[in-house]
Amino acid sequence: DTFWQRVRQANPAWADADVEGSVAALEVTDTKAIARALRSGLTWDLPGLVGAVQVPVLVVAARQEGANPGQGGSALVGPDRDAVRRLVGEDRFVEVSGGHSLHRAQPDRMVEIISGFAASLSSG
């Protein structure tokens, strides 16, 4: 209950079901497996992965107020962020204020963004 309240306070825009889902997911998280992956130097080449995709790509990236210019509020930072933006194009790289769970914090905005992307595919 205490953790549920902490998640609720940190994310006032989330629906109660999203708070519940977040808490439930943490309860079943394999923390040892995550720690092993992080200690092993978990890396990936996101620009390479995005560049290999053969279909249109939409990237919705977190932007937090006060973040360093060009860095944003997500794990997609620095040269990788710039490279992904170039790969998908300015019209398909959308920054939204928030953090990791944009879909929970701003569901209406996410529907708007995704609907616009889908419409661009059907009109093009």
Side-chain angles (χ1 to χ4, degrees):
D1 288 338
T2 301
F3 185 63
W4 193 98
Q5 289 300 327
R6 187 179 308 159
V7 173
R8 162 52 63 223
Q9 288 174 351
N11 303 284
W14 288 15
D16 284 347
D18 289 329
V19 174
E20 192 65 41
S22 179
V23 171
L26 287 172
E27 288 174 340
V28 298
T29 298
D30 185 346
T31 55
K32 290 179 182 179
I34 292 171
R36 274 193 311 274
L38 292 173
R39 284 189 198 110
S40 71
L42 179 66
T43 61
W44 58 86
D45 176 9
L46 187 58
L49 294 169
V50 170
V53 174
Q54 299 297 310
V55 296
V57 173
L58 171 67
V59 174
V60 181
R63 176 185 65 232
Q64 294 176 327
E65 306 308 321
N68 295 330
Q71 181 173 340
S74 72
L76 181 55
V77 298
D80 281 352
R81 189 178 186 96
D82 295 337
V84 169
R85 183 190 305 269
R86 280 191 306 275
L87 285 165
V88 301
E90 286 293 325
D91 60 328
R92 294 204 173 139
F93 191 97
V94 181
E95 292 180 311
V96 177
S97 293
H100 179 72
S101 296
L102 297 171
H103 62 290
R104 291 177 174 150
Q106 299 187 50
D108 293 341
R109 178 71 176 123
M110 293 300 294
V111 168
E112 176 187 324
I113 291 167
I114 294 167
S115 295
F117 174 66
S120 76
L121 299 178
S122 63
S123 66

